[in-house]
PDB file of all heavy atoms in Angstrom:
ATOM      1  N   THR A 444      97.234 146.942  35.554  1.00  0.00           N
ATOM      2  CA  THR A 444      97.812 147.584  34.374  1.00  0.00           C
ATOM      3  C   THR A 444      97.599 146.688  33.162  1.00  0.00           C
ATOM      4  O   THR A 444      97.985 145.521  33.169  1.00  0.00           O
ATOM      5  CB  THR A 444      99.313 147.846  34.572  1.00  0.00           C
ATOM      6  OG1 THR A 444      99.495 148.688  35.718  1.00  0.00           O
ATOM      7  CG2 THR A 444      99.907 148.529  33.356  1.00  0.00           C
ATOM      8  N   THR A 445      96.975 147.240  32.138  1.00  0.00           N
ATOM      9  CA  THR A 445      96.702 146.498  30.910  1.00  0.00           C
ATOM     10  C   THR A 445      97.214 147.301  29.726  1.00  0.00           C
ATOM     11  O   THR A 445      97.507 148.499  29.838  1.00  0.00           O
ATOM     12  CB  THR A 445      95.203 146.234  30.744  1.00  0.00           C
ATOM     13  OG1 THR A 445      94.511 147.493  30.705  1.00  0.00           O
ATOM     14  CG2 THR A 445      94.661 145.399  31.891  1.00  0.00           C
ATOM     15  N   PHE A 446      97.294 146.640  28.578  1.00  0.00           N
ATOM     16  CA  PHE A 446      97.737 147.352  27.380  1.00  0.00           C
ATOM     17  C   PHE A 446      97.183 146.665  26.144  1.00  0.00           C
ATOM     18  O   PHE A 446      96.811 145.484  26.174  1.00  0.00           O
ATOM     19  CB  PHE A 446      99.272 147.429  27.311  1.00  0.00           C
ATOM     20  CG  PHE A 446      99.971 146.106  27.173  1.00  0.00           C
ATOM     21  CD1 PHE A 446     100.349 145.619  25.928  1.00  0.00           C
ATOM     22  CD2 PHE A 446     100.260 145.335  28.294  1.00  0.00           C
ATOM     23  CE1 PHE A 446     100.997 144.399  25.796  1.00  0.00           C
ATOM     24  CE2 PHE A 446     100.907 144.113  28.178  1.00  0.00           C
ATOM     25  CZ  PHE A 446     101.281 143.643  26.927  1.00  0.00           C
ATOM     26  N   THR A 447      97.105 147.427  25.076  1.00  0.00           N
ATOM     27  CA  THR A 447      96.695 146.908  23.775  1.00  0.00           C
ATOM     28  C   THR A 447      97.777 147.238  22.757  1.00  0.00           C
ATOM     29  O   THR A 447      98.526 148.205  22.918  1.00  0.00           O
ATOM     30  CB  THR A 447      95.361 147.523  23.323  1.00  0.00           C
ATOM     31  OG1 THR A 447      95.488 148.958  23.288  1.00  0.00           O
ATOM     32  CG2 THR A 447      94.235 147.145  24.264  1.00  0.00           C
ATOM     33  N   VAL A 448      97.837 146.417  21.715  1.00  0.00           N
ATOM     34  CA  VAL A 448      98.830 146.597  20.655  1.00  0.00           C
ATOM     35  C   VAL A 448      98.091 146.663  19.326  1.00  0.00           C
ATOM     36  O   VAL A 448      97.246 145.805  19.036  1.00  0.00           O
ATOM     37  CB  VAL A 448      99.848 145.442  20.640  1.00  0.00           C
ATOM     38  CG1 VAL A 448     100.822 145.603  19.475  1.00  0.00           C
ATOM     39  CG2 VAL A 448     100.605 145.378  21.958  1.00  0.00           C
ATOM     40  N   THR A 449      98.372 147.681  18.546  1.00  0.00           N
ATOM     41  CA  THR A 449      97.734 147.824  17.241  1.00  0.00           C
ATOM     42  C   THR A 449      98.043 146.616  16.367  1.00  0.00           C
ATOM     43  O   THR A 449      99.196 146.224  16.222  1.00  0.00           O
ATOM     44  CB  THR A 449      98.230 149.102  16.543  1.00  0.00           C
ATOM     45  OG1 THR A 449      97.940 150.229  17.372  1.00  0.00           O
ATOM     46  CG2 THR A 449      97.547 149.282  15.196  1.00  0.00           C
ATOM     47  N   GLY A 450      96.994 146.030  15.811  1.00  0.00           N
ATOM     48  CA  GLY A 450      97.159 144.867  14.951  1.00  0.00           C
ATOM     49  C   GLY A 450      96.941 143.544  15.653  1.00  0.00           C
ATOM     50  O   GLY A 450      96.820 142.511  14.993  1.00  0.00           O
ATOM     51  N   LEU A 451      96.886 143.557  16.996  1.00  0.00           N
ATOM     52  CA  LEU A 451      96.644 142.331  17.756  1.00  0.00           C
ATOM     53  C   LEU A 451      95.316 142.453  18.491  1.00  0.00           C
ATOM     54  O   LEU A 451      95.047 143.478  19.123  1.00  0.00           O
ATOM     55  CB  LEU A 451      97.769 142.072  18.764  1.00  0.00           C
ATOM     56  CG  LEU A 451      99.157 141.766  18.188  1.00  0.00           C
ATOM     57  CD1 LEU A 451     100.149 141.517  19.319  1.00  0.00           C
ATOM     58  CD2 LEU A 451      99.118 140.567  17.251  1.00  0.00           C
ATOM     59  N   PRO A 452      94.466 141.432  18.427  1.00  0.00           N
ATOM     60  CA  PRO A 452      93.171 141.515  19.098  1.00  0.00           C
ATOM     61  C   PRO A 452      93.305 141.332  20.605  1.00  0.00           C
ATOM     62  O   PRO A 452      94.249 140.707  21.098  1.00  0.00           O
ATOM     63  CB  PRO A 452      92.390 140.346  18.474  1.00  0.00           C
ATOM     64  CG  PRO A 452      93.449 139.352  18.098  1.00  0.00           C
ATOM     65  CD  PRO A 452      94.655 140.164  17.692  1.00  0.00           C
TER      66      PRO A 452
END
Side-chain angles (χ1 to χ4, degrees):
T444 301
T445 59
F446 64 96
T447 57
V448 176
T449 302
L451 294 181

